[in-house]
């Protein structure tokens, strides 16, 4: 592994030189909290496994701390997506032929449009758009081998939450249906500049090898989970009335042996998948 010193300037010097914290209200609006401890960014980059034969997509590189660590792992190439012009200028301090910096809004860019072949996403995600970015990527996981992502700790808890816990919900189900997910480690606020008010978690997600038919269930999982967790204290029978008629609900619950009086938060992911399958069969039957 190569060292992470791809620049003659330290990260603190880069931040000062390009005045990245001068307009803090702007940085705060972008959810920017910079990691400048290279031992931590090295740990994040190394957690993604071998990068030698993949393109790494990094979102919100800021002054380039994690970027340096990723480059230190000898990736095929790194494509950094950044919307802040000052940060883009700061990234010029990193000298590497394997680095391409793209000025763009990550919410409007598909990873697969940036490079062909195997991809890994490694990012200290902006807090205010992290969940939206992830659900956007869920729409097409083609070629994505893994995602090593930092979120607010409470979001990380939702990704891997189990039934019956307060964190279990729509995001838990969609994530665990599409990916294997685990928490790698947590980070306290003081390791960031500026320090956020929350703790953070680094999460590792690997997309499951699902068939086209299995991936198509997401279309049905989304409205079902939205209805069932929109008012999570309601009984499942009442919540499902938002999308199905009484007869259909009774058939579905009886078929899956789900008591009508329980709450959605107690159901395992597998039951939501079975509900989605029944919803798809019903739609196919009605359209035939």
């Amino acid at each position: 592994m190569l060292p992470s010193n791809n620049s003659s300037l330290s990260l603190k010097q880069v931040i000062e030189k390009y005045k990245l914290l001068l307009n803090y209200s702007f940085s705060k609006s972008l959810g920017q909290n910079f990691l400048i401890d290279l031992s931590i960014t090295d740990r994040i980059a190394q957690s993604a496994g071998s990068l030698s034969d993949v393109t790494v997509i990094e979102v919100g590189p800021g002054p380039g701390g994690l970027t340096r660590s990723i480059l230190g792992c000898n990736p095929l190439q790194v494509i950094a997506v950044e919307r802040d012009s000052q940060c883009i200028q700061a990234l010029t301090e990193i000298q590497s032929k394997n680095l391409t910096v793209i000025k763009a809004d990550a919410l409007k860019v598909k990873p697969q449009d940036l490079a062909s072949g195997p991809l890994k996403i490694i990012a200290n995600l902006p807090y205010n758009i992290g969940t939206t970015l992830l659900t956007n990527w869920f729409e097409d996981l083609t070629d994505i081998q893994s995602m090593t992502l930092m979120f607010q700790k409470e979001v990380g808890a939702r990704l891997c939450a189990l039934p019956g816990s307060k964190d279990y919900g729509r995001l838990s189900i969609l994530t665990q249906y599409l990916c294997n997910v685990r928490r790698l480690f947590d980070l306290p606020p003081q390791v960031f500049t500026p320090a956020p008010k929350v703790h953070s978690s680094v999460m590792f997600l690997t997309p499951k090898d699902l068939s086209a038919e299995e991936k198509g269930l997401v279309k049905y999982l989304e409205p079902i989970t939205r209805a069932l967790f929109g008012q999570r204290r309601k009984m499942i029978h009442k919540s499902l009335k938002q999308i199905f008629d009484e007869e259909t609900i009774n058939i579905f619950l009886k078929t899956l042996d789900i008591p009508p009086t329980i709450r959605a938060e107690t159901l395992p992911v597998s039951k939501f998948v079975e509900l989605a399958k029944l919803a798809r069969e019903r739609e196919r039957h009605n359209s035939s």
Side-chain angles (χ1 to χ4, degrees):
M1 180 177 295
L2 295 176
S4 300
N5 56 344
N6 311 87
S7 169
S8 59
L9 298 180
S10 71
L11 285 173
K12 285 187 177 179
Q13 290 172 324
V14 169
I15 291 171
E16 292 173 1
K17 177 178 178 179
Y18 293 94
K19 300 178 173 58
L20 299 186
L21 297 180
L22 184 62
N23 188 354
Y24 176 56
S25 62
F26 177 67
S27 295
K28 191 173 181 181
S29 72
L30 294 179
Q32 292 176 317
N33 299 91
F34 305 139
L35 266 176
I36 60 174
D37 185 334
L38 290 178
S39 67
I40 295 175
T41 58
D42 284 349
R43 186 181 178 190
I44 294 171
Q46 292 165 20
S47 296
S50 174
L51 306 180
S52 60
D53 58 350
V54 300
T55 294
V56 175
I57 307 296
E58 184 187 7
V59 172
L66 182 55
T67 314
R68 298 185 191 197
S69 294
I70 294 170
L71 288 168
C73 293
N74 297 316
L76 189 64
Q77 63 172 328
V78 178
I79 299 177
V81 181
E82 177 61 67
R83 59 175 291 190
D84 184 346
S85 297
Q86 288 174 280
C87 287
I88 290 174
Q89 291 181 344
L91 290 168
T92 61
E93 294 292 335
I94 300 176
Q95 304 299 315
S96 174
K97 64 181 181 180
N98 294 341
L99 173 64
T100 301
V101 180
I102 296 175
K103 183 176 184 180
D105 182 346
L107 290 170
K108 300 177 181 178
V109 177
K110 282 186 62 175
Q112 295 85 351
D113 291 339
L114 300 177
S116 58
L119 305 171
K120 289 188 177 183
I121 302 176
I122 307 175
N124 169 17
L125 294 178
Y127 287 144
N128 56 348
I129 60 170
T131 302
T132 304
L133 279 169
L134 182 62
T135 53
N136 283 355
W137 294 333
F138 282 167
E139 293 177 7
D140 185 2
L141 292 167
T142 306
D143 291 331
I144 297 178
Q145 291 189 349
S146 69
M147 295 177 279
T148 308
L149 307 172
M150 188 184 301
F151 297 92
Q152 291 183 50
K153 187 176 180 180
E154 63 180 33
V155 175
R158 288 163 58 197
L159 298 182
C160 56
L162 298 176
S165 69
K166 64 180 178 61
D167 297 310
Y168 187 66
R170 291 190 68 230
L171 186 61
S172 315
I173 293 158
L174 291 174
T175 300
Q176 293 171 37
Y177 177 64
L178 292 168
C179 299
N180 295 306
V181 56
R182 57 190 172 96
R183 184 200 306 266
L184 296 179
F185 53 90
D186 298 330
L187 292 171
Q190 56 266 31
V191 302
F192 295 89
T193 301
K197 295 180 180 180
V198 296
H199 285 68
S200 302
S201 294
V202 179
M203 310 297 295
F204 186 70
L205 298 89
T206 52
K208 294 179 179 177
D209 185 18
L210 301 178
S211 66
E213 184 86 351
E214 289 171 321
K215 292 175 183 176
L217 279 181
V218 173
K219 172 186 173 183
Y220 304 90
L221 271 174
E222 288 182 335
I224 289 172
T225 55
R226 189 180 304 113
L228 292 179
F229 287 100
Q231 294 178 296
R232 60 187 298 140
R233 302 306 297 170
K234 275 191 173 184
M235 293 183 293
I236 191 170
H237 183 275
K238 290 185 177 179
S239 298
L240 286 174
K241 287 183 178 180
Q242 299 175 56
I243 49 178
F244 300 120
D245 60 67
E246 183 80 17
E247 181 182 4
T248 298
I249 294 171
N250 290 334
I251 292 172
F252 282 7
L253 297 183
K254 184 176 181 180
T255 300
L256 300 178
D257 195 24
I258 298 174
T261 56
I262 67 169
R263 296 185 175 95
E265 62 197 36
T266 65
L267 290 179
V269 174
S270 60
K271 287 294 186 182
F272 285 95
V273 173
E274 293 303 317
L275 270 172
K277 289 179 179 178
L278 289 176
R280 180 171 61 188
E281 290 173 9
R282 173 178 175 271
E283 180 181 89
R284 289 174 176 175
H285 176 76
N286 289 343
S287 61
S288 62

